[in-house]
Amino acid sequence: MKTIDDLEVSGKRVLVRADLNVPLDGTRITDDGRIRASVPTLSALLERGAKVIVTAHLGRPKGDPETDKKYSLAPVAARLAELLGKPVAFAADTVGESAKATVAALGDGEIALLENVRFNPAETSKDAVERGKFADELAAFADLFVSDGFGAVHRRHASVYDVAEDLPSAAGYLITKELDVLKRLTENVERPYAVVLGGSKVSDKLAVIDNLLDKADRILIGGGMVFTFLKAQGHEVGKSLLEEDQLETVTGYLERAKDSGVEIVLPVDIVAATAFAADAEHEVVAADAIPADRLGLDIGPESGKLFAAKLAGTKTVFWNGPMGVFEMEAFAGGTRAVAQGLLDSGAFTVVGGGDSAAAVRQLGFVSDDNGHSDEDAFGHISTGGGASLEYLEGKLLPGITVLEG
C-alpha cells in the first residue's frame, strides 16, 4: 500500500478523504480530536506544495446544507484553519458551483474543505453506478487521492472507496498509524492481553467479543451492555438497558469463555438511579441486587477497583466504550476508574471509539491545550470506533483493500 511519502505532490491537486466527524454543541466543537489527527497528513501535503482539497462527513444528514445546517462542516473549517495556522477556503457544497470555484482558486500550498459529503445522497448509495458517478465528480477535482479518514474505511462509500479507483491513490499518515496499532492487537500480541468493553448495546460488540474470545486473556465488561450479561446469569436488572434477544448469545459466550480459559470480568456493584437524569436519586447496590424500580447508569466503586486490579500487570489493552453515563458527573466514576487503571498499568493501550476518546478528554486525562498529540498517555487514541471494531472482528475494510489493490 502506497503512502503519501511515495507521491510527487508539488503543484498537484490532491483530494484528501479525512475524518472530521466531530461532536458539536450548536456550532461549538466539543472534542476536536479527529481534526487534530488529520493535521499531520494535511500539513505534509501543504508543505510539499500541493493544492489540497479535503472531503469529509459529519453525522448523517437527511436534507441539504440549507435545511440541515447543524451538519455543516463550516465550524470544522474554522478550527482546521487555527490548527494549520493558515486559511482554509470553505465550499458551500460538495461538487457544485461553490466547490468548483473554490478548488479552481487554490494555489500551491493552499487548502480547501468541501461541505459535508453526505449532503449528497450518492455518497452512501448502495447502487454502485450512482455512487460511481458521484465519485467521478469528486475525482475530477484532483490529480491524486489520499485516504486518511480511518473512521470511515469500513464503509463502501463514494469518497472512501470508489474515488480510490478513479485516481492514483495512497494512504495518509493517520491510516498507516491506525493500521500499525491494530496489528499490535492482532499479530504477535504482547501478553497478558485485556479487552475492556462498554457502551450501551451488547449487540454492537457481538462480533468483536466472538473474535476476541480466541485472542484475549481477559475481557472486562461494563456500560449498558453489562446488564444483558447480568440477566444471562439470572440476576435482576430492574429498568436497566437490556437486550432480551441477545441473552442466549451472551450465555453462550460465558460458557465458551469458561471452557477456553478466558476470564470474563463483570461488575460486582452498580450505581442504580431512579431516572436517566444528572440529578436523579441514586445509590450503589450489589450487581446481583439491582432494585426492580431502578436502572444502572455506571459500574460501582468496588467494580472500579476490581477492574483496575485486573488491568494491573497487563501488557496490551484495547478499550472501547465507557463504563457508564460519563457525561453526568454522578455516573462518571466507573469510566474514570478504568482510565486511571489503564494509566497505572503501564500497558500499551488503545482507546477506540468516539465515546471513549471523548471520555478521557472530558474527564481530564489528556489535554489538547498545547497543540500536541494527546495519544502519549494511553499509547494510542483511535479515531475509528466502528472501523477498529470491524478490524478486530477480522473483517476486510473496503477503504483499505481498495488502496492495496
Side-chain angles (χ1 to χ4, degrees), residues 4-170:
I4 62 171
D5 294 334
D6 299 313
L7 300 178
E8 177 51 59
V9 301
S10 180
K12 300 288 183 66
R13 298 171 302 157
V14 181
L15 180 68
V16 179
R17 184 27 161 119
D19 181 5
L20 305 176
N21 187 27
V22 294
L24 291 169
D25 181 5
T27 59
R28 184 178 69 88
I29 297 167
T30 58
D31 180 5
D32 67 357
R34 282 178 168 159
I35 305 176
R36 289 178 176 276
S38 72
V39 168
T41 291
L42 298 178
S43 292
L45 292 170
L46 292 168
E47 289 168 4
R48 290 163 57 189
K51 300 178 178 75
V52 178
I53 306 118
V54 182
T55 184
H57 75 278
L58 179 66
R60 298 180 179 181
K62 301 300 181 184
D64 56 43
E66 287 302 313
T67 61
D68 228 353
K69 292 182 180 179
K70 67 180 180 180
Y71 290 110
S72 174
L73 282 172
V76 173
R79 182 59 179 142
L80 183 58
E82 292 175 351
L83 292 170
L84 289 173
K86 65 184 341 177
V88 174
F90 182 65
D93 53 32
T94 54
V95 291
E97 293 308 312
S98 177
K100 290 174 182 176
T102 302
V103 171
L106 285 178
D108 293 353
E110 294 182 344
I111 181 171
L113 173 63
L114 307 181
E115 182 57 283
N116 188 344
V117 72
R118 287 188 182 173
F119 277 131
N120 192 313
E123 162 70 2
T124 58
S125 175
K126 288 182 168 43
D127 184 327
V129 174
E130 181 182 11
R131 212 174 55 236
K133 287 180 179 178
F134 178 50
D136 291 345
E137 291 183 271
L138 286 171
F141 286 139
D143 306 302
L144 303 167
F145 174 65
V146 170
S147 180
D148 206 39
F150 184 75
V153 293
H154 58 314
R155 308 292 189 193
R156 194 180 288 265
H157 289 172
S159 67
V160 176
Y161 180 84
D162 300 86
V163 75
E165 297 188 312
D166 288 347
L167 292 169
S169 303

Side-chain angles (χ1 to χ4, degrees), residues 267-396:
V268 293
D269 58 351
I270 295 291
V271 182
T274 55
F276 188 90
D279 59 353
E281 179 186 335
H282 58 276
E283 63 179 334
V284 177
V285 300
D288 59 359
I290 300 172
D293 62 345
R294 298 210 173 201
L295 69 159
L297 296 182
D298 193 16
I299 64 172
E302 292 304 314
S303 299
K305 294 176 185 176
L306 171 65
F307 281 23
K310 293 293 183 179
L311 293 170
T314 55
K315 296 295 185 182
T316 306
V317 181
F318 174 68
W319 176 23
N320 183 284
M323 298 295 99
V325 188
F326 72 91
E327 299 90 344
M328 303 176 186
E329 180 54 35
F331 313 113
T335 303
R336 185 178 286 112
V338 166
Q340 188 61 55
L342 289 171
L343 290 178
D344 293 342
S345 74
F348 172 72
T349 299
V350 177
V351 180
D355 286 344
S356 304
V360 295
R361 294 190 181 100
Q362 183 175 315
L363 297 177
F365 286 92
V366 293
S367 172
D368 292 334
D369 294 341
N370 58 13
H372 298 301
S373 169
D374 58 5
E375 298 170 358
D376 295 341
F378 286 93
H380 181 67
I381 297 179
S382 177
T383 60
S388 297
L389 287 176
E390 291 200 13
Y391 187 96
L392 293 178
E393 289 167 19
K395 291 183 178 179
L396 294 176

